[in-house]
Amino acid sequence: MSEDTFSLNKEALIDKANAEMETTLLPSEYTLRQKLALTCRILFENGHDSGLAGQITTRTEIHGTYLTQRLGLGFDEISEDNLLVVDEDLNVKSGSGMANPANRFHSWVYRARPDVNCIIHTHALHAAALSMLEVPLEVSHMDNCVLYDDVAFVPKWPGVPVGNEEGELISTALGSKRTLMLSHHGLLVAAESVEAACVLAIAFERAAKMQLLAAAAGAIQPIDPALGREAHDWILRPKRNEAAFAYYARRTLRTGRHADCIRSR
């Protein structure tokens, strides 16, 4: 006999759904290299392209090293075969070429946040436009609640982030949050997995676009904090992130423009 769910309260239904996700949603079949390369292509297809600007990194199994893209390649050119492994000082340990010198602040964030395994920094169009206003990102819609109370803010531009000063400033401003708005610059995501970072970066750009659209029409109204936190925790679950990432990967690969991203599995 099937369970009578109409007598359950909301908390019980959330717990039931979360338990079902854990057993039903399939784990990712992609390698770490493939996930990072796919993230570059996914973000390219979702408005994060800005020429050679922006960096995406993820820790490797060797302490103090991470995967990143090669300077000189756009997000749409990154594949699992042309990624670099670099150390905290940006010395190339594996691969050909050099890392973006701005990756220095990634090393600062990784040192400050042992819980972070992937960092994304882009100049996505709407996030960059919003950053010119020197205002924080406003999260006031259900779809954007994956970011609720999880966005830090740097109100003044510190300049090109290639120095240790900028690394210290950015890692301090980020604090314990997963995302950061950098005035006159762009967005930063620091998450526990490649999948989570990718999903948050897409959500950030969409939230910035929605904020610009809404603000042009009137005053943005805040949502109830308790409901915002509830939605944040509901959306930002590892299994949901994996499922969302898999969808974005399928959608990106279906375009036919990114067949060179990963080898056949």
Side-chain angles (χ1 to χ4, degrees):
M1 182 180 295
S2 61
E3 180 183 0
D4 177 14
T5 58
F6 286 88
S7 62
L8 299 178
N9 61 25
K10 186 176 183 179
E11 183 178 359
L13 288 169
I14 288 176
D15 290 342
K16 182 178 184 300
N18 286 334
E20 190 172 359
M21 285 183 213
E22 291 297 320
T23 58
T24 303
L25 296 179
L26 298 175
S28 174
E29 297 180 354
Y30 296 115
T31 67
L32 187 62
R33 278 180 172 270
Q34 289 173 337
K35 289 177 186 178
L36 197 69
L38 281 166
T39 295
C40 291
R41 304 299 182 103
I42 290 167
L43 295 184
F44 178 85
E45 291 289 336
N46 284 273
H48 290 254
D49 172 49
S50 185
L52 301 183
Q55 317 91 38
I56 304 178
T57 65
T58 185
R59 294 186 196 263
T60 75
E61 66 279 3
I62 300 174
H63 179 72
T65 66
Y66 49 85
L67 280 165
T68 190
Q69 80 269 32
R70 187 172 79 208
L71 182 63
L73 297 179
F75 283 178
D76 59 323
E77 298 178 303
I78 302 303
S79 72
E80 62 175 304
D81 294 322
N82 60 30
L83 289 168
L84 306 177
V85 177
V86 300
D87 63 18
E88 290 183 321
D89 297 304
L90 307 186
N91 297 310
V92 176
K93 313 305 288 185
S94 175
S96 176
M98 66 176 285
N100 190 325
N103 276 29
R104 178 165 300 278
F105 78 81
H106 291 231
S107 297
W108 278 86
V109 173
Y110 282 130
R111 282 192 170 195
R113 293 282 300 277
D115 60 309
V116 168
N117 290 307
C118 182
I119 297 171
I120 294 173
H121 167 59
T122 75
H123 303 171
L125 181 61
H126 296 93
L130 184 62
S131 78
M132 295 166 63
L133 303 178
E134 295 185 352
V135 298
L137 185 73
E138 292 189 53
V139 179
S140 190
H141 185 274
M142 183 176 69
D143 291 350
N144 305 334
C145 280
V146 69
L147 299 160
Y148 192 82
D149 196 28
D150 221 348
V151 187
F153 181 54
V154 172
K156 297 297 178 182
W157 183 47
V160 179
V162 298
N164 288 314
E165 298 87 349
E166 291 81 22
E168 188 169 12
L169 184 152
I170 289 170
S171 60
T172 300
L174 179 66
S176 62
K177 297 189 183 298
R178 290 182 175 87
T179 65
L180 175 70
M181 168 70 86
L182 296 151
S183 288
H184 303 284
H185 198 158
L187 66 92
L188 170 70
V189 175
E192 55 272 23
S193 68
V194 175
E195 293 94 331
C198 182
V199 169
L200 286 165
I202 291 173
F204 198 116
E205 169 63 357
R206 188 170 189 269
K209 182 178 181 179
M210 291 174 68
Q211 182 171 340
L212 291 168
L213 289 170
I220 297 174
Q221 301 302 309
I223 59 175
D224 182 278
L227 297 179
R229 287 188 288 271
E230 177 189 71
H232 172 276
D233 296 345
W234 166 251
I235 302 169
L236 193 63
R237 294 184 61 83
K239 281 294 183 180
R240 284 181 66 99
N241 290 333
E242 289 178 9
F245 179 85
Y247 162 67
Y248 288 127
R250 291 193 304 271
R251 190 174 78 177
T252 298
L253 293 172
R254 274 200 306 268
T255 66
R257 294 187 289 270
H258 303 288
D260 61 329
C261 178
I262 59 173
R263 298 184 222 110
S264 299
R265 289 178 291 154

